Amino acid sequence: MTLRLLPLLTAVIIPAAMAGSTPFDEALAEVIGNNLSVRAEASRAQIETENILGENTLEAPEVSFSRVWGSRKEYGNKWSLGVSQSFDWPGVYAARREAARTARSASQYMLESTLLDLRQEVRTLFIDIIHNTQLIEMQTELVDRMNQMEAYYKKAAEAGAETRLDYNKTVIERIAVHRELHTLEAQRSTLMSTLSTLNGGKDIDGIIAKLGNAYPITRVPESIDKTVIMKRDPQYAAALAGVEAAKSMVKVEKRSRIPGFSIGYEHESEGDENFNGFSIGLTLPVWGRGHQIKASTLEAEASLMDAELALTRRVAEMNGDRKQLDTLRHIMDEYEPVVNEKSNYELLHKALKAGQITFLTYIEESNYFIAAKRDYLDTLYEYNLILTRLARYE
């Protein structure tokens, strides 16, 4: 793990280890800490900076040697040795350092944005897992209830107390609830596979244990302030830094057009004579990169406009989500007293035992309450998904 990545991960992982952190927060920090894509992104984030810094070093010294032979022996032979060092114009090095600094800032912000996206992805996955856990718990209760019902009707049909037709109905209903349970378990297997991937392939049992079967308590924001989000959004900050980096590269290009120079030592030997001196050379600038740098500047400015547009869209979406929370909360408040009342099934079972309703009526009435409970759990799930989106910058 690179040193530059540590402060970013620390901002996410350390709070979960502090007093008062929830098991949900601890599970979130664990997955982010184990995620391999973050480390890969951190390495990629340094490439541009390292490339700029790599250009900001002196060229390797140049050593030259020559030997020539005269056509006539009385003139003898000649040889020469030279060592020279090339330099860019001094201001170019300072411009490149500034460009590297701005590029590093842009890369850091983009990495922070990646971390935010990862945290959002993991939180959403956790909400999906909790929702799946709640549905499996509900379906497991239905499976147990229908297994008992089938066993009762089988015994009663064999004793002649119930008809074979009613027993067959219980078999069909038992198959239906088992099939739904298997579907939920298959969905859970997919969720576990996704979690394992995000967790770097490490064991996820401890993470699942921390999640449990209840959603985390999340603060509902009173309002969505664009100026506040603008300060917290690293993607927007990265776009700003990208514009500055492009401007710095323009400065590098302009200063690179100033001729460079080289200084060297020369030694020549001709016959019995030796000559020592120095050499000075100029490096003529290359003019062809100006359009490329200009294109990079325009691209950075376009990225900034895209970031501003995306931020405006996100604020609008968050405001819409905030308003939707009130509607969902009202629906849940109406559902909760009814769907969480377990006596509904007990009363139906007593009525069936007393012969007040038929088995078909019992199934229809049970399915009515089951559908209501499923609607409630789905509404609760949607409510917490919205809370997760609103907590992006928390």
Side-chain angles (χ1 to χ4, degrees), residues 20-44:
S21 63
T22 66
F24 187 96
D25 296 329
E26 295 171 0
L28 178 63
E30 182 175 345
V31 173
I32 292 176
N34 291 334
N35 189 267
L36 299 177
S37 64
V38 175
R39 303 180 187 182
E41 191 67 28
S43 297
R44 283 191 290 268

PDB file of all heavy atoms in Angstrom, residues 20-44:
ATOM      1  N   GLY A  20     -17.880   4.232  20.073  1.00  0.00           N
ATOM      2  CA  GLY A  20     -19.177   4.641  19.574  1.00  0.00           C
ATOM      3  C   GLY A  20     -19.457   4.185  18.163  1.00  0.00           C
ATOM      4  O   GLY A  20     -20.552   4.396  17.647  1.00  0.00           O
ATOM      5  N   SER A  21     -18.472   3.563  17.504  1.00  0.00           N
ATOM      6  CA  SER A  21     -18.711   3.075  16.151  1.00  0.00           C
ATOM      7  C   SER A  21     -19.624   1.850  16.217  1.00  0.00           C
ATOM      8  O   SER A  21     -19.607   1.087  17.164  1.00  0.00           O
ATOM      9  CB  SER A  21     -17.397   2.719  15.464  1.00  0.00           C
ATOM     10  OG  SER A  21     -16.759   1.655  16.159  1.00  0.00           O
ATOM     11  N   THR A  22     -20.418   1.673  15.175  1.00  0.00           N
ATOM     12  CA  THR A  22     -21.368   0.567  15.130  1.00  0.00           C
ATOM     13  C   THR A  22     -20.746  -0.630  14.425  1.00  0.00           C
ATOM     14  O   THR A  22     -19.777  -0.476  13.665  1.00  0.00           O
ATOM     15  CB  THR A  22     -22.634   0.996  14.384  1.00  0.00           C
ATOM     16  OG1 THR A  22     -22.296   1.240  12.999  1.00  0.00           O
ATOM     17  CG2 THR A  22     -23.231   2.253  14.999  1.00  0.00           C
ATOM     18  N   PRO A  23     -21.287  -1.839  14.628  1.00  0.00           N
ATOM     19  CA  PRO A  23     -20.791  -3.002  13.883  1.00  0.00           C
ATOM     20  C   PRO A  23     -20.891  -2.790  12.376  1.00  0.00           C
ATOM     21  O   PRO A  23     -20.040  -3.278  11.628  1.00  0.00           O
ATOM     22  CB  PRO A  23     -21.710  -4.129  14.359  1.00  0.00           C
ATOM     23  CG  PRO A  23     -22.128  -3.706  15.739  1.00  0.00           C
ATOM     24  CD  PRO A  23     -22.268  -2.217  15.669  1.00  0.00           C
ATOM     25  N   PHE A  24     -21.919  -2.074  11.932  1.00  0.00           N
ATOM     26  CA  PHE A  24     -22.069  -1.767  10.505  1.00  0.00           C
ATOM     27  C   PHE A  24     -20.866  -0.961  10.013  1.00  0.00           C
ATOM     28  O   PHE A  24     -20.306  -1.253   8.958  1.00  0.00           O
ATOM     29  CB  PHE A  24     -23.372  -0.995  10.288  1.00  0.00           C
ATOM     30  CG  PHE A  24     -23.716  -0.765   8.841  1.00  0.00           C
ATOM     31  CD1 PHE A  24     -24.581  -1.619   8.176  1.00  0.00           C
ATOM     32  CD2 PHE A  24     -23.192   0.312   8.141  1.00  0.00           C
ATOM     33  CE1 PHE A  24     -24.908  -1.420   6.835  1.00  0.00           C
ATOM     34  CE2 PHE A  24     -23.503   0.529   6.807  1.00  0.00           C
ATOM     35  CZ  PHE A  24     -24.365  -0.346   6.154  1.00  0.00           C
ATOM     36  N   ASP A  25     -20.467   0.056  10.778  1.00  0.00           N
ATOM     37  CA  ASP A  25     -19.309   0.879  10.412  1.00  0.00           C
ATOM     38  C   ASP A  25     -18.029   0.047  10.389  1.00  0.00           C
ATOM     39  O   ASP A  25     -17.172   0.213   9.512  1.00  0.00           O
ATOM     40  CB  ASP A  25     -19.142   2.040  11.392  1.00  0.00           C
ATOM     41  CG  ASP A  25     -20.305   3.015  11.348  1.00  0.00           C
ATOM     42  OD1 ASP A  25     -20.898   3.165  10.266  1.00  0.00           O
ATOM     43  OD2 ASP A  25     -20.624   3.604  12.394  1.00  0.00           O
ATOM     44  N   GLU A  26     -17.893  -0.833  11.361  1.00  0.00           N
ATOM     45  CA  GLU A  26     -16.697  -1.677  11.426  1.00  0.00           C
ATOM     46  C   GLU A  26     -16.627  -2.621  10.224  1.00  0.00           C
ATOM     47  O   GLU A  26     -15.552  -2.835   9.643  1.00  0.00           O
ATOM     48  CB  GLU A  26     -16.701  -2.477  12.724  1.00  0.00           C
ATOM     49  CG  GLU A  26     -16.580  -1.605  13.977  1.00  0.00           C
ATOM     50  CD  GLU A  26     -16.801  -2.390  15.255  1.00  0.00           C
ATOM     51  OE1 GLU A  26     -17.048  -3.617  15.145  1.00  0.00           O
ATOM     52  OE2 GLU A  26     -16.730  -1.798  16.351  1.00  0.00           O
ATOM     53  N   ALA A  27     -17.775  -3.183   9.845  1.00  0.00           N
ATOM     54  CA  ALA A  27     -17.813  -4.070   8.678  1.00  0.00           C
ATOM     55  C   ALA A  27     -17.475  -3.289   7.413  1.00  0.00           C
ATOM     56  O   ALA A  27     -16.747  -3.780   6.542  1.00  0.00           O
ATOM     57  CB  ALA A  27     -19.192  -4.716   8.557  1.00  0.00           C
ATOM     58  N   LEU A  28     -17.990  -2.074   7.320  1.00  0.00           N
ATOM     59  CA  LEU A  28     -17.715  -1.222   6.161  1.00  0.00           C
ATOM     60  C   LEU A  28     -16.221  -0.921   6.052  1.00  0.00           C
ATOM     61  O   LEU A  28     -15.621  -1.031   4.969  1.00  0.00           O
ATOM     62  CB  LEU A  28     -18.511   0.075   6.288  1.00  0.00           C
ATOM     63  CG  LEU A  28     -18.316   1.130   5.190  1.00  0.00           C
ATOM     64  CD1 LEU A  28     -18.780   0.585   3.850  1.00  0.00           C
ATOM     65  CD2 LEU A  28     -19.064   2.409   5.544  1.00  0.00           C
ATOM     66  N   ALA A  29     -15.601  -0.552   7.164  1.00  0.00           N
ATOM     67  CA  ALA A  29     -14.173  -0.246   7.169  1.00  0.00           C
ATOM     68  C   ALA A  29     -13.335  -1.475   6.826  1.00  0.00           C
ATOM     69  O   ALA A  29     -12.312  -1.369   6.135  1.00  0.00           O
ATOM     70  CB  ALA A  29     -13.776   0.303   8.538  1.00  0.00           C
ATOM     71  N   GLU A  30     -13.772  -2.632   7.276  1.00  0.00           N
ATOM     72  CA  GLU A  30     -13.020  -3.855   7.012  1.00  0.00           C
ATOM     73  C   GLU A  30     -12.998  -4.179   5.516  1.00  0.00           C
ATOM     74  O   GLU A  30     -11.950  -4.525   4.953  1.00  0.00           O
ATOM     75  CB  GLU A  30     -13.630  -5.023   7.783  1.00  0.00           C
ATOM     76  CG  GLU A  30     -12.873  -6.340   7.611  1.00  0.00           C
ATOM     77  CD  GLU A  30     -13.424  -7.459   8.478  1.00  0.00           C
ATOM     78  OE1 GLU A  30     -14.202  -7.156   9.412  1.00  0.00           O
ATOM     79  OE2 GLU A  30     -13.090  -8.630   8.222  1.00  0.00           O
ATOM     80  N   VAL A  31     -14.146  -4.055   4.869  1.00  0.00           N
ATOM     81  CA  VAL A  31     -14.219  -4.354   3.435  1.00  0.00           C
ATOM     82  C   VAL A  31     -13.381  -3.366   2.638  1.00  0.00           C
ATOM     83  O   VAL A  31     -12.634  -3.754   1.730  1.00  0.00           O
ATOM     84  CB  VAL A  31     -15.681  -4.333   2.951  1.00  0.00           C
ATOM     85  CG1 VAL A  31     -15.734  -4.479   1.428  1.00  0.00           C
ATOM     86  CG2 VAL A  31     -16.474  -5.446   3.610  1.00  0.00           C
ATOM     87  N   ILE A  32     -13.478  -2.085   2.977  1.00  0.00           N
ATOM     88  CA  ILE A  32     -12.707  -1.074   2.249  1.00  0.00           C
ATOM     89  C   ILE A  32     -11.214  -1.308   2.446  1.00  0.00           C
ATOM     90  O   ILE A  32     -10.411  -1.170   1.514  1.00  0.00           O
ATOM     91  CB  ILE A  32     -13.104   0.335   2.713  1.00  0.00           C
ATOM     92  CG1 ILE A  32     -14.539   0.638   2.271  1.00  0.00           C
ATOM     93  CG2 ILE A  32     -12.150   1.393   2.154  1.00  0.00           C
ATOM     94  CD1 ILE A  32     -15.067   1.962   2.748  1.00  0.00           C
ATOM     95  N   GLY A  33     -10.822  -1.691   3.662  1.00  0.00           N
ATOM     96  CA  GLY A  33      -9.414  -1.957   3.931  1.00  0.00           C
ATOM     97  C   GLY A  33      -8.881  -3.156   3.170  1.00  0.00           C
ATOM     98  O   GLY A  33      -7.694  -3.216   2.833  1.00  0.00           O
ATOM     99  N   ASN A  34      -9.763  -4.133   2.879  1.00  0.00           N
ATOM    100  CA  ASN A  34      -9.336  -5.343   2.175  1.00  0.00           C
ATOM    101  C   ASN A  34      -9.490  -5.237   0.664  1.00  0.00           C
ATOM    102  O   ASN A  34      -9.018  -6.119  -0.064  1.00  0.00           O
ATOM    103  CB  ASN A  34     -10.157  -6.552   2.661  1.00  0.00           C
ATOM    104  CG  ASN A  34      -9.833  -6.926   4.098  1.00  0.00           C
ATOM    105  OD1 ASN A  34      -8.747  -6.661   4.591  1.00  0.00           O
ATOM    106  ND2 ASN A  34     -10.784  -7.539   4.781  1.00  0.00           N
ATOM    107  N   ASN A  35     -10.163  -4.196   0.196  1.00  0.00           N
ATOM    108  CA  ASN A  35     -10.464  -4.088  -1.228  1.00  0.00           C
ATOM    109  C   ASN A  35      -9.192  -3.884  -2.055  1.00  0.00           C
ATOM    110  O   ASN A  35      -8.393  -2.993  -1.778  1.00  0.00           O
ATOM    111  CB  ASN A  35     -11.443  -2.946  -1.468  1.00  0.00           C
ATOM    112  CG  ASN A  35     -11.951  -2.913  -2.886  1.00  0.00           C
ATOM    113  OD1 ASN A  35     -11.409  -2.238  -3.732  1.00  0.00           O
ATOM    114  ND2 ASN A  35     -13.006  -3.667  -3.147  1.00  0.00           N
ATOM    115  N   LEU A  36      -9.027  -4.699  -3.076  1.00  0.00           N
ATOM    116  CA  LEU A  36      -7.818  -4.647  -3.902  1.00  0.00           C
ATOM    117  C   LEU A  36      -7.871  -3.537  -4.943  1.00  0.00           C
ATOM    118  O   LEU A  36      -6.828  -3.001  -5.336  1.00  0.00           O
ATOM    119  CB  LEU A  36      -7.616  -5.998  -4.608  1.00  0.00           C
ATOM    120  CG  LEU A  36      -7.421  -7.212  -3.692  1.00  0.00           C
ATOM    121  CD1 LEU A  36      -7.305  -8.481  -4.529  1.00  0.00           C
ATOM    122  CD2 LEU A  36      -6.183  -7.043  -2.824  1.00  0.00           C
ATOM    123  N   SER A  37      -9.065  -3.185  -5.399  1.00  0.00           N
ATOM    124  CA  SER A  37      -9.162  -2.177  -6.454  1.00  0.00           C
ATOM    125  C   SER A  37      -8.675  -0.816  -5.974  1.00  0.00           C
ATOM    126  O   SER A  37      -8.148  -0.019  -6.765  1.00  0.00           O
ATOM    127  CB  SER A  37     -10.608  -2.070  -6.952  1.00  0.00           C
ATOM    128  OG  SER A  37     -11.465  -1.605  -5.924  1.00  0.00           O
ATOM    129  N   VAL A  38      -8.821  -0.535  -4.674  1.00  0.00           N
ATOM    130  CA  VAL A  38      -8.356   0.746  -4.138  1.00  0.00           C
ATOM    131  C   VAL A  38      -6.839   0.842  -4.247  1.00  0.00           C
ATOM    132  O   VAL A  38      -6.289   1.881  -4.623  1.00  0.00           O
ATOM    133  CB  VAL A  38      -8.793   0.910  -2.670  1.00  0.00           C
ATOM    134  CG1 VAL A  38      -8.214   2.187  -2.084  1.00  0.00           C
ATOM    135  CG2 VAL A  38     -10.312   0.947  -2.580  1.00  0.00           C
ATOM    136  N   ARG A  39      -6.171  -0.248  -3.942  1.00  0.00           N
ATOM    137  CA  ARG A  39      -4.711  -0.230  -4.004  1.00  0.00           C
ATOM    138  C   ARG A  39      -4.228  -0.106  -5.454  1.00  0.00           C
ATOM    139  O   ARG A  39      -3.249   0.595  -5.733  1.00  0.00           O
ATOM    140  CB  ARG A  39      -4.161  -1.504  -3.373  1.00  0.00           C
ATOM    141  CG  ARG A  39      -4.631  -1.690  -1.935  1.00  0.00           C
ATOM    142  CD  ARG A  39      -4.091  -2.962  -1.316  1.00  0.00           C
ATOM    143  NE  ARG A  39      -4.681  -3.191   0.007  1.00  0.00           N
ATOM    144  CZ  ARG A  39      -4.358  -4.203   0.792  1.00  0.00           C
ATOM    145  NH1 ARG A  39      -3.442  -5.053   0.415  1.00  0.00           N
ATOM    146  NH2 ARG A  39      -4.945  -4.351   1.969  1.00  0.00           N
ATOM    147  N   ALA A  40      -4.927  -0.788  -6.349  1.00  0.00           N
ATOM    148  CA  ALA A  40      -4.558  -0.674  -7.761  1.00  0.00           C
ATOM    149  C   ALA A  40      -4.781   0.747  -8.254  1.00  0.00           C
ATOM    150  O   ALA A  40      -3.960   1.299  -8.996  1.00  0.00           O
ATOM    151  CB  ALA A  40      -5.374  -1.661  -8.595  1.00  0.00           C
ATOM    152  N   GLU A  41      -5.881   1.351  -7.836  1.00  0.00           N
ATOM    153  CA  GLU A  41      -6.181   2.721  -8.246  1.00  0.00           C
ATOM    154  C   GLU A  41      -5.139   3.686  -7.687  1.00  0.00           C
ATOM    155  O   GLU A  41      -4.778   4.673  -8.332  1.00  0.00           O
ATOM    156  CB  GLU A  41      -7.576   3.110  -7.765  1.00  0.00           C
ATOM    157  CG  GLU A  41      -8.111   4.400  -8.356  1.00  0.00           C
ATOM    158  CD  GLU A  41      -8.366   4.298  -9.842  1.00  0.00           C
ATOM    159  OE1 GLU A  41      -8.648   3.185 -10.325  1.00  0.00           O
ATOM    160  OE2 GLU A  41      -8.283   5.331 -10.529  1.00  0.00           O
ATOM    161  N   ALA A  42      -4.668   3.409  -6.474  1.00  0.00           N
ATOM    162  CA  ALA A  42      -3.647   4.260  -5.875  1.00  0.00           C
ATOM    163  C   ALA A  42      -2.358   4.226  -6.692  1.00  0.00           C
ATOM    164  O   ALA A  42      -1.694   5.249  -6.866  1.00  0.00           O
ATOM    165  CB  ALA A  42      -3.374   3.815  -4.440  1.00  0.00           C
ATOM    166  N   SER A  43      -2.017   3.066  -7.203  1.00  0.00           N
ATOM    167  CA  SER A  43      -0.807   2.962  -8.037  1.00  0.00           C
ATOM    168  C   SER A  43      -0.979   3.713  -9.349  1.00  0.00           C
ATOM    169  O   SER A  43      -0.082   4.423  -9.805  1.00  0.00           O
ATOM    170  CB  SER A  43      -0.489   1.487  -8.316  1.00  0.00           C
ATOM    171  OG  SER A  43      -0.194   0.804  -7.113  1.00  0.00           O
ATOM    172  N   ARG A  44      -2.174   3.555  -9.945  1.00  0.00           N
ATOM    173  CA  ARG A  44      -2.421   4.255 -11.208  1.00  0.00           C
ATOM    174  C   ARG A  44      -2.439   5.765 -11.012  1.00  0.00           C
ATOM    175  O   ARG A  44      -2.060   6.526 -11.909  1.00  0.00           O
ATOM    176  CB  ARG A  44      -3.748   3.789 -11.812  1.00  0.00           C
ATOM    177  CG  ARG A  44      -3.678   2.431 -12.489  1.00  0.00           C
ATOM    178  CD  ARG A  44      -4.920   2.157 -13.287  1.00  0.00           C
ATOM    179  NE  ARG A  44      -6.071   1.924 -12.435  1.00  0.00           N
ATOM    180  CZ  ARG A  44      -6.456   0.735 -12.010  1.00  0.00           C
ATOM    181  NH1 ARG A  44      -5.767  -0.347 -12.364  1.00  0.00           N
ATOM    182  NH2 ARG A  44      -7.515   0.595 -11.235  1.00  0.00           N
TER     183      ARG A  44
END
